[in-house]
């Protein structure tokens, strides 16, 4: 059966399984990824079927995990490492930024760094601090890294395949609060390119651009707006480095309005980059300034405040109204 | 669609590296069932006196019956508090709880060894140490309920905030201790961390710094045998206390379920630190009786036999047996403690249920000490946005 309905976590699990089956050089590494199957069970059952040499429970040391993955990649392996939560990637940040990202350039292109770093990210699950952050911009800003985030099961399955096949390091942000959302996966489909944005919903009055966990919020906002007679287009960016500006531009040329939505702080965020580029590209098409909805310049708040902090339907629709009022 | 390997090299031996060479060379995991350790009270509650313990024994030689009863009381109340918090999580009052069940002796013994002017750097499970420092236990629950990210003033009890990022606090403790030494003070610092945390670079760096600067810091590793699903063998091939030697300071392994031994060993290490002899590492050999946290499912990775074996080493039963055989405590003491325990449980329940949600504007509080224009701007926008709801017509009303 080619088409299956799978939750995002399971789609990633099957994608990893496929990669392990197809390529003996693929390795899974991380804390608790073995017997436990990861704290979100994304690697469930893989160690049982592929053994401890392929699915490796590592010491509790993120710098060590990424640093050794770099070495394994130098030796011809294709490590897929799991960082348990967004806030715990920083012990590895040095290795990622100073080593992983730059290795190919330093070697004048002679070596490749096919390393995937999986990071469950974002809020909305009522966790304690360091478990809800959206640090994607910190990685997108670094040349040499590719940064992606699927928003649905089919993308989760296919983008993981493509990330693993990439000879560049890919930071793969998994929207943890969507792990249990189900969607159709066609394992025989021919997927589009990893870094191409998709139109998740067509519309004519305004474009909402989002990725990962916020795509669902934007689709809900578009559905709500429809009841008020507004037609919103939703673009799922899928990739934050590179960003598919062409697709965003095409949508904005049609709708003439753009609101970018992400959980990460607005200040110097992905939305800022998109606003600047789209303003340059679409200056004469725009009917309103590009607006952004996202997190504040404040630490991610304790769980009881996260619903206020995270962009929800109301905040997205409020920005839509403001844009349409121009 | 098949996925082609783009790996640069062709495999020469076994494609996965799981050939003979790898398996033959793998060192046997270190046996951790009956380790060498400092013990002053056996699991049956018998007092141990031998040459190996003598240097530590001296630190508890003059302990009074009352002090022993107090240690017992601390452990019972801490366990009760912990059980209450676990129950509150199950009832949906807390988002998460990290239980210390089984680790009471390691925490109370070490916590009671500290002096008021010492400074403590905990990780996230040190509820018993917090108790010893006089932190109101209900303050520990705020972050687990999701109303704050800390909940107490570290300076009022010299008890730093819980640190969730593994191992980070060991460096803070070391720096603090370097400051203590610069000040010429005779306080000491103690840093708590787990066996899993011992793998972090920060911990290795804190060992290096503390040794190089002879900082008055005691590293207190609670080896509870597990880092979520990973046994200690996934972190180290030598007993953890032996690591200290490579950095140039002493390491001791103590029975972490023996409150008396933990008290003695920690007093010894703190006194060394105070008198300028530098850092020491204590490995308290203990066991996490429950799940890692309430979100964890230990049945996925460990069996019950292990837990049953450790139940026989329960720190509370052990001290109780000793108190009873020595005639240090009577029925009245235990009955009174039971009442006190009930009262603590009740108070914790009440305080937690009454804990208000934080004010919405708390998002913008304390981001900077000196203020920041961007935060001010976003705070004002947020306030205006919230106010727009208060005045908005109710659903269904016509604007
Ligand atoms: C840097 C970092 N990586 C991962 C985690 C997730 N995590 C939280 S607790 C834990 C296990 C810690 O084990 P150990 O240090 O032995 O302490 P214990 O919880 O057993 O007391 C892990 C992996 C984290 N908090 N910080």
């Amino acid at each position: 059966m080619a088409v299956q309905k799978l939750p995002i976590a399971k789609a990633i699990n099957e994608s990893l399984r496929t990669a392990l089956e197809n390529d003996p050089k693929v390795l899974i590494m991380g804390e608790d990824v073995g017997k436990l199957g990861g704290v979100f069970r994304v690697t469930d059952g893989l160690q049982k079927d592929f053994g401890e040499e392929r699915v490796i429970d590592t010491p509790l040391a993120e710098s060590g995990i990424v640093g050794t993955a770099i070495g394994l990649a130098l030796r011809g392996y294709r490590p897929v490492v799991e960082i348990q939560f967004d806030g715990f990637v920083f012990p590895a940040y040095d290795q990622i930024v100073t080593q992983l990202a730059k290795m190919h350039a330093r070697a004048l292109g002679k070596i490749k760094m096919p390393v995937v770093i999986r990071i469950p990210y974002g809020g909305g699950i009522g966790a304690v601090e360091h478990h809800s952050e959206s640090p994607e911009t910190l990685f997108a800003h670094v040349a040499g890294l590719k940064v992606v985030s699927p928003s649905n099961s089919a993308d989760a399955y296919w983008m993981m395949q493509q990330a693993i096949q990439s000879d560049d390091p890919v930071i793969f942000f998994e929207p943890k609060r969507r792990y249990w959302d189900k969607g159709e996966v066609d394992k025989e489909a021919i997927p589009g390119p990893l870094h191409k944005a998709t139109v998740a919903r067509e519309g004519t009055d305004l474009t909402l651009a989002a990725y990962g966990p916020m795509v669902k919020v934007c689709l809900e906002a578009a559905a709500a707006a429809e009841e008020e007679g507004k037609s919103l287009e939703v673009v799922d960016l899928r990739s934050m480095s590179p960003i598919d500006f062409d697709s965003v531009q095409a949508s904005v040329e049609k709708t003439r309005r753009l609101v970018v939505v992400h959980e990460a702080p607005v200040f110097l965020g992905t939305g800022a980059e998109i606003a600047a580029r789209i303003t340059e590209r679409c200056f004469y098409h725009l009917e309103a300034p590009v607006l952004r909805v996202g997190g504040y310049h404040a630490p991610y708040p304790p769980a009881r405040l996260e619903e206020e902090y995270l962009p929800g339907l109301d905040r997205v629709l409020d920005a839509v109204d403001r844009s349409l009022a121009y | 669609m098949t996925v082609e390997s783009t790996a640069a090299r062709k495999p020469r031996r076994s494609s996965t590296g799981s050939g003979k060479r790898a398996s033959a060379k793998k060192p046997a995991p270190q046996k951790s069932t009956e380790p060498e350790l400092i013990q002053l009270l056996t699991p049956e509650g018998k007092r141990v006196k031998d040459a190996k313990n003598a240097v530590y024994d001296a630190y508890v030689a003059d302990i009074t019956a009352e002090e022993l009863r107090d240690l017992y009381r601390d452990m019972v109340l801490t366990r009760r508090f912990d059980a209450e918090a676990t129950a509150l999580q199950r009832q949906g009052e807390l988002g998460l709880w990290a239980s210390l069940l089984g680790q009471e002796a390691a925490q109370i013994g070490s916590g009671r060894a500290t002096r008021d002017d010492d400074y403590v750097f905990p990780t996230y499970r040190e509820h018993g140490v917090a108790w010893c420092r006089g932190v109101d236990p209900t303050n520990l629950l705020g972050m687990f309920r999701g109303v704050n990210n800390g909940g107490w003033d570290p300076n009022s009890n010299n008890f730093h905030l819980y640190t969730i990022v593994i191992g980070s606090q060991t460096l803070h403790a070391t720096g603090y201790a370097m400051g203590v030494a610069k000040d010429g003070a005779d306080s000491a610092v103690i840093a708590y961390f787990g066996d899993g945390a011992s793998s972090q670079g920060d911990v290795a760096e804190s060992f290096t710094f503390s040794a190089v600067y002879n900082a008055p810091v005691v590293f207190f590793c609670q080896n509870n045998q597990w880092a979520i699903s990973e046994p200690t063998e996934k972190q180290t091939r030598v007993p953890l206390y032996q690591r200290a030697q490579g950095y140039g300071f002493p390491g001791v392994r103590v029975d972490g379920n023996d409150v008396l031994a933990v008290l003695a060993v920690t007093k010894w290490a703190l006194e060394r630190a105070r008198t300028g002899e530098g850092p020491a590492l204590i490995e308290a050999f203990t066991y996490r009786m429950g799940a890692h946290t309430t979100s964890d499912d230990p049945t996925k990775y460990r069996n019950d036999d292990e837990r049953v074996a450790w139940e026989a080493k329960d720190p509370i039963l052990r001290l109780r047996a000793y108190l009873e055989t020595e005639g240090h405590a009577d029925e009245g003491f235990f009955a009174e403690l039971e009442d006190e325990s009930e009262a603590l449980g009740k108070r914790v329940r009440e305080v937690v249920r009454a804990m208000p949600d934080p004010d919405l504007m708390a998002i913008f509080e304390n981001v900077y000490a000196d203020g920041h224009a961007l935060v001010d701007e976003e705070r004002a926008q947020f306030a205006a946005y919230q106010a727009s709801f208060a005045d908005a017509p109710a659903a269904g009303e016509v604007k």
Side-chain angles (χ1 to χ4, degrees):
Chain A
M1 193 180 57
V3 182
Q4 283 174 281
K5 231 176 149 73
L6 297 176
I8 288 183
K10 184 72 179 148
I12 298 171
N13 176 277
E14 299 211 353
S15 191
L16 295 172
R17 172 177 292 278
T18 305
L20 286 163
E21 273 164 6
N22 289 345
D23 183 352
K25 290 297 183 184
V26 170
L27 304 174
I28 309 288
M29 299 168 63
E31 296 160 11
D32 304 296
V33 298
K35 259 197 188 148
L36 187 64
V39 292
F40 290 106
R41 308 290 183 268
V42 171
T43 55
D44 204 20
L46 298 180
Q47 189 180 67
K48 194 168 131 271
D49 296 340
F50 294 93
E52 290 187 28
E53 293 290 340
R54 303 279 314 274
V55 181
I56 304 166
D57 267 332
T58 63
L60 211 175
E62 287 76 9
S63 181
I65 294 169
V66 173
T68 55
I70 291 171
L72 283 157
L74 289 171
R75 180 72 191 176
Y77 284 88
R78 305 183 85 80
V80 182
V81 314
E82 175 176 300
I83 299 292
Q84 203 156 73
F85 278 91
D86 35 64
F88 308 145
V89 71
F90 297 104
Y93 195 64
D94 169 39
Q95 285 289 342
I96 295 172
V97 172
T98 67
Q99 306 303 319
L100 183 64
K102 298 180 170 63
M103 206 68 91
H104 182 67
R106 284 163 67 210
L108 305 177
K110 298 293 183 223
I111 53 175
K112 292 172 178 153
M113 276 291 120
V115 176
V116 177
I117 299 180
R118 298 181 35 236
I119 309 178
Y121 83 121
I125 62 161
V128 292
E129 64 175 344
H130 312 299
H131 290 73
S132 306
E133 293 167 15
S134 299
E136 59 271 18
T137 304
L138 299 177
F139 296 89
H141 196 69
V142 178
L145 301 176
K146 291 181 171 172
V147 182
V148 302
S149 178
S151 71
N152 58 64
S153 300
D155 276 354
Y157 181 84
W158 282 114
M159 289 168 71
M160 180 59 76
Q161 295 289 296
Q162 293 166 323
I164 294 170
Q165 288 171 57
S166 170
D167 281 331
D168 288 313
V170 179
I171 316 294
F172 197 95
F173 280 104
E174 299 173 4
K176 69 170 88 81
R177 73 159 132 157
R178 306 284 179 232
Y179 268 150
W180 303 278
D181 287 4
K182 282 191 174 176
E184 285 188 352
V185 178
D186 180 352
K187 292 188 181 168
E188 277 154 28
I190 310 247
L194 178 57
H195 301 288
K196 187 155 171 47
T198 56
V199 176
R201 178 187 171 116
E202 307 243 7
T204 51
D205 297 338
L206 180 146
T207 300
L208 291 174
Y211 51 86
M214 279 296 131
V215 172
K216 185 174 179 182
V217 172
C218 289
L219 287 171
E220 286 166 0
E226 188 177 31
E227 290 175 15
E228 298 169 10
K230 298 167 203 156
S231 165
L232 307 189
E233 179 145 308
V234 179
V235 174
D236 182 350
L237 293 169
R238 300 168 79 249
S239 173
M240 282 76 75
S241 177
I243 291 174
D244 175 9
F245 292 109
D246 291 347
S247 293
V248 183
Q249 178 177 352
S251 177
V252 171
E253 283 176 2
K254 181 168 76 167
T255 66
R256 299 173 168 262
R257 288 183 165 83
L258 175 62
V259 175
V260 189
V261 185
H262 50 61
E263 290 187 17
V266 162
F267 183 61
L268 293 174
T270 312
E273 182 63 34
I274 295 172
R277 299 262 181 171
I278 292 303
T279 303
E280 262 180 53
R281 288 177 176 225
C282 306
F283 190 69
Y284 294 106
H285 285 95
L286 284 169
E287 301 278 358
V290 180
L291 298 181
R292 292 166 290 160
V293 181
Y296 304 106
H297 192 65
Y300 193 88
R304 296 275 169 145
L305 289 179
E306 71 179 340
E307 287 312 321
E308 308 300 330
Y309 176 93
L310 291 167
L313 211 54
D314 285 331
R315 276 177 65 200
V316 174
L317 290 173
D318 181 66
V320 167
D321 289 346
R322 277 189 290 133
S323 175
L324 289 169
Y326 274 92
Chain B
M1 195 179 121
T2 53
V3 181
E4 291 293 321
S5 164
T6 42
R9 279 169 185 277
K10 276 201 135 190
R12 270 180 288 168
R13 277 192 308 275
S14 140
S15 55
T16 64
S18 60
K20 282 206 184 72
R21 179 191 164 97
S23 43
K25 278 230 164 175
K26 196 158 210 161
Q30 151 221 351
K31 264 263 163 281
S32 54
T33 34
E34 290 306 329
E36 271 286 288
L37 36 69
I38 303 301
Q39 187 181 69
L40 301 182
L41 274 183
T42 66
E44 297 72 37
K46 297 239 158 46
R47 191 75 166 76
V48 184
K49 292 254 180 202
D50 64 21
K52 182 180 72 173
N53 293 333
V55 51
Y56 308 108
D57 212 330
Y59 287 85
V60 290
D62 55 2
I63 194 163
T64 64
E66 191 187 352
E67 286 168 322
L68 286 168
R69 282 195 300 273
D70 283 347
L71 291 172
Y72 183 79
R73 176 176 170 274
D74 288 336
M75 290 198 288
V76 167
L77 294 179
T78 299
R79 179 171 290 187
R80 180 50 194 262
F81 163 71
D82 186 73
E84 206 61 53
T86 303
L88 284 164
Q89 195 281 333
R90 299 279 180 247
Q91 293 157 18
E93 299 288 347
L94 301 178
L96 182 82
W97 183 244
S99 167
L100 66 25
L101 184 63
Q103 299 179 221
E104 295 87 352
Q107 298 199 10
I108 300 300
S110 59
R112 284 294 172 214
T114 62
R115 240 169 40 187
D116 282 353
D117 61 322
D118 293 340
Y119 213 104
V120 176
F121 288 84
T123 161
Y124 46 77
R125 204 191 288 284
E126 271 66 77
H127 322 312
V129 185
W131 172 267
C132 295
R133 298 301 300 180
V135 176
D136 184 328
T138 59
N139 283 345
L140 305 174
L141 298 170
M143 74 176 285
F144 291 101
R145 188 174 169 86
V147 301
N148 60 44
N149 285 332
W152 59 92
D153 172 2
N155 289 324
S156 57
N157 301 82
N158 282 10
F159 184 77
H160 190 66
L161 298 167
Y162 277 178
T163 299
I164 288 180
V165 179
I166 296 295
S168 293
Q169 75 281 1
T170 56
L171 280 167
H172 312 154
T174 300
Y176 193 96
M178 287 161 63
V180 167
K182 281 187 195 301
D183 292 346
D186 78 339
S187 316
V189 178
I190 183 165
Y192 289 84
F193 60 100
D195 47 306
S198 73
S199 298
Q200 288 284 352
D202 277 4
V203 173
E205 292 180 27
S206 71
F207 287 1
T208 299
F209 274 69
S210 64
V212 165
Y213 296 107
N214 204 43
V217 57
V218 174
F219 296 106
F220 194 93
C221 177
Q222 286 172 87
N223 178 355
N224 64 10
Q225 314 301 326
W226 292 91
I228 308 190
S229 73
E230 298 188 359
T232 310
E233 288 76 18
K234 284 280 180 234
Q235 316 293 335
T236 182
R237 290 286 172 186
V238 298
L240 288 170
Y241 75 97
Q242 290 179 3
R243 289 223 183 135
Q245 199 189 356
Y247 290 87
F249 53 85
V252 187
R253 182 185 264 172
V254 63
D255 183 338
N257 287 17
D258 171 356
V259 72
L260 201 58
V262 176
L263 179 71
V265 168
T266 315
K267 279 186 172 226
W268 163 82
L270 288 167
E271 186 178 287
R272 284 185 77 256
R274 285 200 184 93
T275 53
E277 291 183 67
L281 169 63
I282 298 169
E283 177 190 357
F285 202 77
T286 180
Y287 191 70
R288 190 191 84 209
M289 298 298 286
H292 169 68
T293 65
T294 45
S295 335
D296 175 38
D297 173 13
T299 62
K300 295 273 285 185
Y301 55 84
R302 72 181 190 192
N303 60 31
D304 267 354
D305 304 353
E306 194 183 271
R307 186 192 152 111
V308 170
W310 277 93
E311 264 165 13
K313 304 180 195 174
D314 189 290
I316 295 185
L317 298 180
R318 176 183 313 206
L319 185 57
R320 181 170 181 139
Y322 182 61
L323 288 174
E324 285 175 344
T325 49
E326 293 296 310
H328 284 332
D330 56 18
E331 275 312 307
F333 166 76
F334 294 113
E336 227 171 85
L337 184 53
E338 187 51 39
D339 291 345
E340 200 183 346
S341 225
E342 280 308 311
L344 174 67
K346 185 160 173 283
R347 180 167 82 84
V348 167
R349 268 195 311 278
E350 284 168 1
V351 174
V352 166
R353 295 210 171 110
M355 237 179 230
D357 278 354
D359 183 80
L360 294 188
M361 301 313 287
I363 290 173
F364 302 96
E365 272 166 30
N366 302 311
V367 182
Y368 295 91
D370 290 339
H372 187 284
L374 177 62
V375 176
D376 294 344
E377 187 188 323
E378 290 189 352
R379 182 197 286 115
Q381 284 167 356
F382 183 81
Y385 176 66
Q386 294 300 335
S388 74
F389 284 105
D391 299 330
E397 269 179 49
V398 185
K399 261 194 206 166

